[in-house]
């Protein structure tokens, strides 16, 4: 089949394959109470059965806010694909019931992402309101249908015979680098970063609210940032404009704080994964404090498990001694976990 992304005198199309899967989650209240992260079985199309997808569901939202259900779509088994290949995908999610289906569609997503090992596209699937409880959660069962249209072509083929690379990310990077049509300044320690209100607002709910009302920043076309350093702001802007962000160990904490401040949820998850991958006995207490501060419940749980497994080593670190003073409630949570072991 063929899916047209836009039309002009030179029409660009990607010839897409399609995969779909119906995921039935029974005993939803039990998963919700436990706060479990759930994973669907992998699924694929008939034509490209080596390209497999799976879903990840957060019954209580990404930050354990408990008022919504979040869903991520991932591309798995990347080893079966050529490393140079890119897959462009568009997904539709439906929460199914007998008569009250809810439908959500995502934008075009590029898999795999060049900067992280596992790339996912996430959506706030549904608010856990009265309609959800009474009409969509039938017999304590949540049913989700995922439909993915995707292509493994690295280039778009135009009807006029011209090959066009999918260079949206590069175009936006150029827009930032060349300062084309900028209309707002981000000021950090005397250094100025020209940017675009519409781009910032499209990517960050915080910037969207800032530029949608009569705020000082909106009127002066200037945002003074006093709690984030230049390197972090540069990394944050790269992520906002391109969807890409390298997270070196020395910037992980700062980028996490920036992502939390401006509600950049995917960047927040990327930073959390970087912190987890760099976890050690020496830094475990500090990572636990960060996970608790930024409401990263999954990271917090994994760090506590790590500390329990390496308790003797962690106990002798400066970070643990500091946590005894600054965050005694976390020390209590670790000790309770040790006692349950």
């Amino acid at each position: 089949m063929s899916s047209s992304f836009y039309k002009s005198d030179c029409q660009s199309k990607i010839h897409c394959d399609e995969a779909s899967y119906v995921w039935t989650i029974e005993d939803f209240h039990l998963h919700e109470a436990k706060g479990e992260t759930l994973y669907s079985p992998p699924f694929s199309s008939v034509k490209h059965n080596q390209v497999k997808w799976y879903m990840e569901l957060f019954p209580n939202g990404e930050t354990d806010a408990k008022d919504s259900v979040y869903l991520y779509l991932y591309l798995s088994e990347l080893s079966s694909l050529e490393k140079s290949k890119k897959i462009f995908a568009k997904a539709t999610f439906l929460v199914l019931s007998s008569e009250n289906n809810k439908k959500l569609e995502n934008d075009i997503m590029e898999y795999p992402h060049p900067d992280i090992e596992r790339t996912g596209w996430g959506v706030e699937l549904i608010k856990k309101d009265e309609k959800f409880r009474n009409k969509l959660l039938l017999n304590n069962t949540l049913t989700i249908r995922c439909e993915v249209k995707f292509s493994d072509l690295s280039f778009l083929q135009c009807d006029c015979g011209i090959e066009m690379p999918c260079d949206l990310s590069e175009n936006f990077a150029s827009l930032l680098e060349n300062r084309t049509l900028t209309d707002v300044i981000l000021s950090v320690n005397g250094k100025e970063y020209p940017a675009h209100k519409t781009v910032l607002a499209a990517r960050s709910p915080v910037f969207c609210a800032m530029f949608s009302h009569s705020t000082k920043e909106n009127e002066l076309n200037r945002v003074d940032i006093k709690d984030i350093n230049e390197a972090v702001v540069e990394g944050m802007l790269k992520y906002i404009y391109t969807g890409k962000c390298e997270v070196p160990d020395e910037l992980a904490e700062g980028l996490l704080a920036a992502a939390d401040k401006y509600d950049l949820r995917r960047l927040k998850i990327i930073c959390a994964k970087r912190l987890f991958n760099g976890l050690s006995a020496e830094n475990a207490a500090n990572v636990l404090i960060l996970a608790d501060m930024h409401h990263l419940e999954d990271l917090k749980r994994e760090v506590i498990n790590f500390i329990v497994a390496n308790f003797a080593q962690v106990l002798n670190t400066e970070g643990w001694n500091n946590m005894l003073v600054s965050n005694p409630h976390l020390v209590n949570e670790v000790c309770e976990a040790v006692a349950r072991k």
Side-chain angles (χ1 to χ4, degrees):
M1 64 178 295
S2 173
S3 176
S4 177
F5 292 143
Y6 71 88
K7 293 184 179 181
S8 66
D9 292 339
C10 174
Q11 185 177 18
S12 292
K13 294 183 179 181
I14 292 180
H15 296 282
C16 294
D17 197 3
E18 186 170 324
S20 64
Y21 184 76
V22 175
W23 188 15
T24 301
I25 302 169
E26 299 179 343
D27 299 320
F28 180 83
H29 291 329
L30 179 61
H31 298 302
E32 184 181 25
K34 291 183 177 180
E36 295 177 325
T37 301
L38 306 177
Y39 300 91
S40 77
F43 60 97
S44 62
S45 71
V46 175
K47 182 179 177 182
H48 287 101
N49 58 11
Q50 80 278 18
V51 180
K52 296 186 183 297
W53 306 86
Y54 70 95
M55 289 176 279
E56 180 181 33
L57 185 130
F58 297 87
N60 293 323
E62 288 181 312
T63 58
D64 205 28
K66 301 184 183 300
D67 61 346
S68 60
V69 178
Y70 265 79
L71 185 71
Y72 271 78
L73 176 68
Y74 289 102
L75 176 66
S76 66
E77 299 191 13
L78 297 180
S79 60
S80 64
L81 304 173
E82 297 178 21
K83 291 184 179 179
S84 60
K85 285 255 186 170
K86 294 180 181 178
I87 289 181
F88 299 100
K90 184 176 179 66
T92 301
F93 303 106
L94 297 96
V95 180
L96 302 179
S97 70
S98 58
E99 58 184 27
N100 295 284
N101 295 345
K102 178 178 175 62
K103 179 177 180 180
L104 289 168
E105 290 188 353
N106 75 335
D107 296 325
I108 298 167
M109 181 71 185
E110 178 184 325
Y111 297 84
H113 195 288
D115 286 343
I116 56 177
E117 294 179 358
R118 190 178 67 158
T119 298
W121 184 90
V123 63
E124 183 182 39
L125 185 66
I126 195 166
K127 290 284 188 183
K128 293 192 292 187
D129 53 17
E130 183 177 349
K131 178 182 177 181
F132 170 75
R133 300 289 183 189
N134 298 333
K135 297 184 178 180
L136 292 173
L137 192 62
L138 302 179
N139 299 320
N140 198 19
T141 298
L142 179 65
T143 305
I144 302 166
R145 179 180 177 86
C146 176
E147 299 172 351
V148 191
K149 295 180 180 179
F150 65 93
S151 171
D152 60 356
L153 298 178
S154 296
F155 291 92
L156 307 184
Q157 179 65 47
C158 288
D159 292 344
C160 62
I162 301 173
E163 286 191 339
M164 299 176 60
C166 185
D167 54 0
L168 182 62
S169 176
E170 289 79 4
N171 287 343
F172 271 84
S174 176
L175 193 66
L176 177 64
E177 182 179 351
N178 296 330
R179 304 183 175 186
T180 307
L181 301 176
T182 57
D183 56 1
V184 66
I185 296 290
L186 303 189
S187 176
V188 185
N189 295 327
K191 188 170 183 179
E192 295 187 341
Y193 297 90
H196 305 80
K197 290 182 179 180
T198 52
V199 177
L200 299 178
R203 299 284 280 158
S204 162
V206 175
F207 280 125
C208 184
M210 183 185 297
F211 299 137
S212 299
H213 299 88
S214 297
T215 62
K216 177 181 69 174
E217 292 83 359
N218 196 24
E219 293 175 356
L220 297 179
N221 299 321
R222 184 182 185 87
V223 181
D224 292 313
I225 301 176
K226 299 179 180 179
D227 53 351
I228 303 174
N229 66 37
E230 296 94 320
V232 169
V233 169
E234 289 169 8
M236 180 183 73
L237 284 173
K238 179 181 178 182
Y239 169 79
I240 287 175
Y241 275 77
T242 69
K244 305 173 184 178
C245 184
E246 298 175 2
V247 184
D249 291 339
E250 63 271 19
L251 292 184
E253 182 176 341
L255 280 168
L256 174 59
D260 198 16
K261 177 178 180 178
Y262 293 107
D263 199 8
L264 301 167
R265 298 182 181 181
R266 185 165 167 269
L267 178 58
K268 190 174 175 181
I269 291 174
I270 293 171
C271 293
K273 289 177 180 176
R274 172 62 72 181
L275 289 169
F276 178 74
N277 290 337
L279 195 60
S280 67
E282 191 63 34
N283 69 12
N286 184 53
V287 175
L288 180 58
I289 291 171
L290 292 173
D292 183 64
M293 180 188 307
H294 298 294
H295 310 290
L296 292 164
E297 295 301 321
D298 287 344
L299 178 61
K300 181 179 177 180
R301 181 169 56 251
E302 293 301 324
V303 176
I304 289 178
N305 291 339
F306 176 89
I307 294 177
V308 170
N310 301 274
F311 191 60
Q313 297 95 313
V314 176
L315 200 61
N316 293 319
T317 64
E318 182 180 353
W320 177 266
N321 292 330
N322 291 336
M323 191 167 69
L324 284 169
V325 177
S326 63
N327 296 82
H329 69 286
L330 293 178
V331 175
N332 291 337
E333 288 187 47
V334 171
C335 291
E336 289 173 1
V338 171
R340 291 194 299 268
K341 185 179 177 182

